[in-house]
Amino acid sequence: MQLFSSFHSILIVCCVLLIDGTHSKLNLKYAILRQKQAAKATQNDTLAHQQRIKYDAQKTMKVMFYKNNTKTMETSAYDDAYDLSGSGCSPTDKFAIVLHGWIQSCSDEWALSLIERLSYYRGGCVICIDYSVVASSSYMRLYTNFDTLTGAISSIILTLFRQGFDPKRGYMFGFSFGGQLASAVGRSLRPHHIIESIDTCDMAGPGFDPIAVDHSKAGKHVQCFHSSRDKGTFVYSCHRNIMLGSCGLKQPSVASQLHLGSHGLCVDIYINTFDYPFYAVNYTPPECFTWQKTAKIPDGYTVGYEENFDSQVTGQIFVPTSLHYPYNLSKKQLKLLTKGGA
């Protein structure tokens, strides 16, 4: 009788353990399921939050259309579609996109000058994307909005593509923070859309360096002009890296243009390349140290906006600049410099 009682007790304990074990497995299963559901809900909330931030940024952004150097239309970046009938722009036109930098806007003197030069030499439609409301804050606050702005600008460009604009007829220019945006936007559009040509001027370094980014992936042809050591990037991964002045780190003309500095002079020099020849030297200056490939420079080669990109000329290109406007060297000055450096 005592043996039966002991066996009965053991049986009850086993049943309890078995039931508890089953409950434990079920509890673990439901706990994992709840964790997955919570993670998915958090991810959805994060995506929704990012979309909301992007649309909030777009509400403050403007898209300005220019035809024949005349602003024909200004619209909110928040629109899903643009009525281009009043802009004078056609999807069959070439188009150029201009992106400004920190504490700047599409009304800055350099932006208006570049729009005028692009209108004259390139033709077609010029579009300036103004995010000056966001850019008017501190640099670090602007930097934290980098991904948001990249998404918002990409959405604007995709809207143009949906209306028939062809990336093969596209060009994009970005200065400083806008240069980093131009690269990020171009890379985000791949692989479905590849912009034909992208030029950047002294792409911002603070906050971005030394993270290695392949800027050549931003477009089919990417050339980057470098002019300063304090504000410009040290990541030289464009198809062409054009080193202005002294090794791309300093401009002699900063002595007479203190308000611009070597960084601000980049856009002035780039705009001047439309009308003045900026000759490259066919060697690496002895004071310039580089790990990058130096481009093979044909005689008389000049840099600047290039309608038909020469894919044979890639790598680093050194372009001396002068003390005074328009900041280029004549062939005679270049020859004297070359004799001294060769």
Side-chain angles (χ1 to χ4, degrees):
M1 186 69 177
Q2 189 176 0
L3 181 63
F4 175 78
S5 178
S6 299
F7 177 76
H8 183 260
S9 299
I10 293 170
L11 184 62
I12 291 171
V13 170
C14 289
C15 288
V16 170
L17 289 172
L18 183 61
I19 291 169
D20 285 347
T22 302
H23 279 302
S24 297
K25 288 179 181 178
L26 287 173
N27 289 340
L28 180 60
K29 179 181 177 182
Y30 288 129
I32 292 171
L33 183 61
R34 284 195 298 271
Q35 189 176 13
K36 286 182 178 179
Q37 289 173 337
K40 188 174 181 181
T42 302
Q43 186 180 21
N44 289 339
D45 288 345
T46 302
L47 290 172
H49 180 64
Q50 289 174 345
Q51 283 292 104
R52 189 160 58 252
I53 291 174
K54 187 182 80 171
Y55 287 134
D56 286 346
Q58 281 182 284
K59 284 179 182 177
T60 69
M61 295 165 65
K62 299 292 183 184
V63 185
M64 303 176 181
F65 293 81
Y66 291 80
K67 184 75 173 183
N68 299 323
N69 197 36
T70 300
K71 186 163 81 170
T72 54
M73 188 171 80
E74 179 178 322
T75 185
S76 170
Y78 191 64
D79 294 339
D80 290 327
Y82 306 120
D83 181 6
L84 297 175
S85 58
S87 70
C89 296
S90 167
T92 59
D93 285 342
K94 295 177 184 177
F95 70 95
I97 294 170
V98 177
L99 300 174
H100 60 79
W102 176 45
I103 318 182
Q104 294 183 334
S105 73
C106 289
S107 300
D108 277 34
E109 185 178 348
W110 74 261
L112 295 174
S113 295
L114 179 59
I115 290 167
E116 189 275 329
R117 292 290 79 190
L118 288 170
S119 298
Y120 182 81
Y121 282 99
R122 179 179 170 82
C125 186
V126 183
I127 303 162
C128 191
I129 299 176
D130 191 304
Y131 60 98
S132 56
V133 173
V134 184
S136 63
S137 59
S138 70
Y139 181 81
M140 286 312 298
R141 188 172 180 181
L142 176 62
Y143 175 76
T144 60
N145 280 295
F146 181 76
D147 290 340
T148 300
L149 288 169
T150 298
I153 294 168
S154 297
S155 293
I156 294 167
I157 296 173
L158 286 171
T159 296
L160 294 172
F161 291 163
R162 284 194 293 271
Q163 297 217 18
F165 282 82
D166 185 352
K168 291 180 180 178
R169 289 192 286 270
Y171 159 91
M172 186 158 50
F173 176 88
F175 168 50
S176 190
F177 190 86
Q180 289 285 358
L181 281 174
S183 174
V185 167
R187 285 179 280 120
S188 73
L189 295 172
R190 295 177 72 104
H192 302 295
H193 307 286
I194 302 175
I195 294 179
E196 184 71 12
S197 180
I198 295 177
D199 286 356
T200 69
C201 222
D202 218 35
M203 195 183 288
F208 297 97
D209 288 1
I211 300 170
V213 174
D214 189 353
H215 295 299
S216 69
K217 300 296 185 185
K220 186 176 180 181
H221 306 299
V222 183
Q223 58 175 358
C224 301
F225 293 73
H226 303 276
S227 67
S228 75
R229 67 160 57 91
D230 58 337
K231 296 181 178 67
T233 183
F234 288 103
V235 177
Y236 305 141
S237 58
C238 306
H239 293 115
R240 289 180 189 158
N241 292 284
I242 299 166
M243 319 305 286
L244 298 172
S246 177
C247 311
L249 303 176
K250 187 178 179 181
Q251 306 311 304
S253 49
V254 75
S256 61
Q257 302 291 341
L258 289 174
H259 64 293
L260 293 175
S262 291
H263 183 62
L265 275 162
C266 190
V267 280
D268 276 19
I269 292 170
Y270 181 83
I271 291 166
N272 286 346
T273 64
F274 283 90
D275 300 301
Y276 302 94
F278 279 75
Y279 295 103
V281 295
N282 55 8
Y283 63 93
T284 300
E287 70 274 15
C288 301
F289 182 78
T290 178
W291 286 291
Q292 307 295 319
K293 182 189 78 171
T294 303
K296 293 181 179 179
I297 305 298
D299 290 338
Y301 183 80
T302 60
V303 301
Y305 168 77
E306 189 170 309
E307 186 74 17
N308 299 304
F309 195 92
D310 185 353
S311 299
Q312 299 300 312
V313 181
T314 59
Q316 281 194 312
I317 301 173
F318 294 90
V319 180
T321 58
S322 68
L323 182 62
H324 301 291
Y325 184 91
Y327 316 123
N328 65 328
L329 294 178
S330 67
K331 280 188 175 181
K332 183 178 180 180
Q333 290 171 318
L334 188 73
K335 190 175 289 186
L336 291 172
L337 185 69
T338 303
K339 284 181 179 179

